[in-house]
Amino acid sequence: METDELTHSVWDITEDEFPVASPLREQGKFLLRYAILAPSSHNSQPWQFAVRDETIEVTYDETRWLEVADQDKRELFISIGCALENLCIAAEHFDIGYNITYHANKDDNLVSIVTLETESEPSFSRPPKLFDELTERYTSHQLFEDQTISQETRDKFSRTIEEDDVTLYLINESEQKRSIGELQADADEAQMADPAYRKELGYWVGMGALGSSWLMARIGQAVVTHFDLGEREGQNNSKLIERAPVIAVLATHADTPTARVKAGQVFERLALLASAEDIAVHPMSQTLERPEMRTELAARADTEGEYPQHLFRLGYVEEERTHTPRWPLESQLS
Ligand SMILES: Cc1cc2nc3c(=O)[nH]c(=O)nc-3n(C[C@H](O)[C@H](O)[C@H](O)COP(=O)(O)O)c2cc1C
């Protein structure tokens, strides 16, 4: 197998393989096997890692940036935040301490430096069992069942991120969901009417990154690239939003690359908690991809002056969990 081919084999990790007696450098590399299971927009996996003794430099790969859909690199930094969070959760599980410094900006591709330590002293407590979900989590695209998420569970989500500089808005009121659903339909239509957007999406579908077989991926690429399916897509997606029991929006005071990385960490922690609670998660980014729509989303989600960074549906669904492929870790190391 070429080392740069997308593969599902990355999901088969057993913790027994952790190199207990090896130096931190080798242990760090093992932790990265969990980092690359993180979600990313279009499964673009924009991360690169350089492991040097006890430090791991996390950078972004410009060639994996969604230049059209994600012009301000919001999704790119969120995706890298997701990988960082997986790294932290795996480190805690194996009793490895860590310290993260943030360096993200739009011009230079260094995002953060993680320093590993043999003595573990977690800076704050994450809910237990998130580690087990690293290899279970997946994104659902189904219509969720008509079943509410209890106040107790919603409070659990809120508590999980109370020490972070990121605010979680959980929207379950019908009128507000309807209004966000309408905005979603407008955003889908606007994005899909742009041939450059369709071409970029088609490229990732064609690569098989979104999980279908090679042939289906090629057919999908042709359809996405050549036909404007915006209206149909918009109607479907607005229904997905209106019928979801909860729409979650993450927002930050600052609109900086680092704020986005931190929003990504929080999103991934919530996605893993949801996975543990058998709650499905579906990010939907189109309303955030155009500045004027993003401002409108802030108003409709009522984010109180904060910048919305990420939107996702939460709900229950009966379906088999399936995994999308990843590039093997070796191809992400520099
Ligand atoms: C920042 C970000 C934005 C995303 N936006 C969307 C989206 O707009 N629509 C969608 O269906 N999935 C979206 N996703 C989910 C990705 O497509 C998914 O994570 C990726 O295909 C990998 O699959 P997995 O999450 O099942 O491992 C997003 C994920 C991230 C991290």
Side-chain angles (χ1 to χ4, degrees):
M1 188 189 73
E2 295 279 323
T3 56
D4 58 356
E5 264 178 32
L6 285 163
T7 171
H8 284 89
S9 65
V10 291
W11 292 93
D12 304 324
I13 317 178
T14 43
E15 52 181 297
D16 303 347
E17 294 168 40
F18 179 69
V20 189
S22 299
L24 268 181
R25 181 190 162 84
E26 290 312 309
Q27 296 185 342
K29 269 195 201 161
F30 185 82
L31 301 180
L32 290 174
R33 291 177 62 186
Y34 292 97
I36 65 167
L37 303 181
S40 60
S41 48
H42 292 10
N43 203 15
S44 54
Q45 308 163 54
W47 40 72
Q48 276 281 318
F49 307 99
V51 186
R52 308 190 204 293
D53 299 325
E54 74 283 6
T55 64
I56 301 177
E57 255 177 48
V58 185
T59 52
Y60 70 79
D61 177 348
E62 183 93 14
T63 64
R64 306 253 177 94
W65 168 38
L66 309 177
E67 255 184 279
V68 183
D70 186 29
Q71 292 184 10
D72 62 357
K73 299 198 172 114
R74 185 186 44 78
E75 293 167 34
L76 177 140
F77 287 120
I78 291 177
S79 303
I80 294 195
C82 294
L84 260 182
E85 185 69 8
N86 278 14
L87 177 61
C88 298
I89 290 170
E92 279 177 18
H93 179 78
F94 292 106
D95 283 332
I96 297 178
Y98 58 85
N99 178 45
I100 305 181
T101 54
Y102 296 89
H103 306 271
N105 66 66
K106 284 185 201 158
D107 307 316
D108 145 0
N109 62 2
L110 179 63
V111 179
S112 80
I113 298 177
V114 182
T115 308
L116 301 177
E117 293 150 9
T118 39
E119 295 290 304
S120 165
E121 227 175 282
S123 49
F124 68 97
S125 53
R126 292 184 169 81
K129 293 202 188 295
L130 294 190
F131 175 80
D132 295 343
E133 303 306 321
L134 293 175
T135 48
E136 296 293 322
R137 184 213 57 80
Y138 77 109
T139 298
S140 173
H141 299 92
Q142 301 300 317
L143 185 67
F144 295 156
E145 285 162 15
D146 184 15
Q147 184 186 343
T148 52
I149 297 180
S150 70
Q151 183 66 46
E152 191 194 341
T153 307
R154 297 203 306 267
D155 288 347
K156 209 185 273 186
F157 279 105
S158 302
R159 274 199 309 276
T160 300
I161 66 152
E162 63 193 6
E163 292 173 51
D164 297 82
D165 295 335
V166 179
T167 313
L168 171 66
Y169 295 88
L170 294 173
I171 298 163
N172 61 354
E173 202 266 309
S174 306
E175 189 49 37
Q176 205 179 1
K177 285 190 292 183
R178 197 188 53 73
S179 141
I180 295 173
E182 277 174 12
L183 188 66
Q184 173 73 40
D186 292 345
D188 278 319
E189 278 192 47
Q191 291 295 56
M192 290 299 241
D194 176 0
Y197 179 90
R198 297 205 304 271
K199 188 171 172 207
E200 183 179 76
L201 176 59
Y203 168 80
W204 288 96
V205 170
M207 178 124 53
L210 297 172
S212 38
S213 71
W214 185 87
L215 181 62
M216 286 311 290
R218 284 300 149 124
I219 294 170
Q221 176 175 17
V223 171
V224 166
T225 308
H226 299 295
F227 298 98
D228 174 0
L229 303 172
E231 196 178 335
R232 216 188 62 177
E233 182 78 356
Q235 281 168 3
N236 285 343
N237 282 343
S238 65
K239 188 162 108 187
L240 293 183
I241 289 194
E242 282 174 30
R243 302 254 197 104
V246 170
I247 299 302
V249 174
L250 293 175
T252 55
H253 281 295
D255 198 19
T256 57
T258 292
R260 293 163 176 187
V261 174
K262 290 182 177 174
Q265 286 191 256
V266 160
F267 166 62
E268 177 64 347
R269 198 178 320 143
L270 294 172
L272 294 167
L273 177 64
S275 177
E277 299 277 330
D278 276 328
I279 291 175
V281 175
H282 180 203
M284 298 179 83
S285 301
Q286 293 73 20
T287 55
L288 291 142
E289 289 174 345
R290 289 177 170 238
E292 72 286 4
M293 298 245 174
R294 190 173 174 219
T295 306
E296 188 55 35
L297 176 66
R300 295 190 191 194
D302 204 3
T303 58
E304 298 162 19
E306 291 190 294
Y307 295 94
Q309 301 292 357
H310 197 47
L311 179 150
F312 49 104
R313 298 187 296 134
L314 292 170
Y316 297 96
V317 66
E318 284 291 323
E319 72 180 328
E320 204 183 315
R321 295 182 179 216
T322 51
H323 288 311
T324 52
R326 297 288 183 272
W327 282 289
L329 176 61
E330 293 68 34
S331 69
Q332 325 263 43
L333 294 174
S334 53

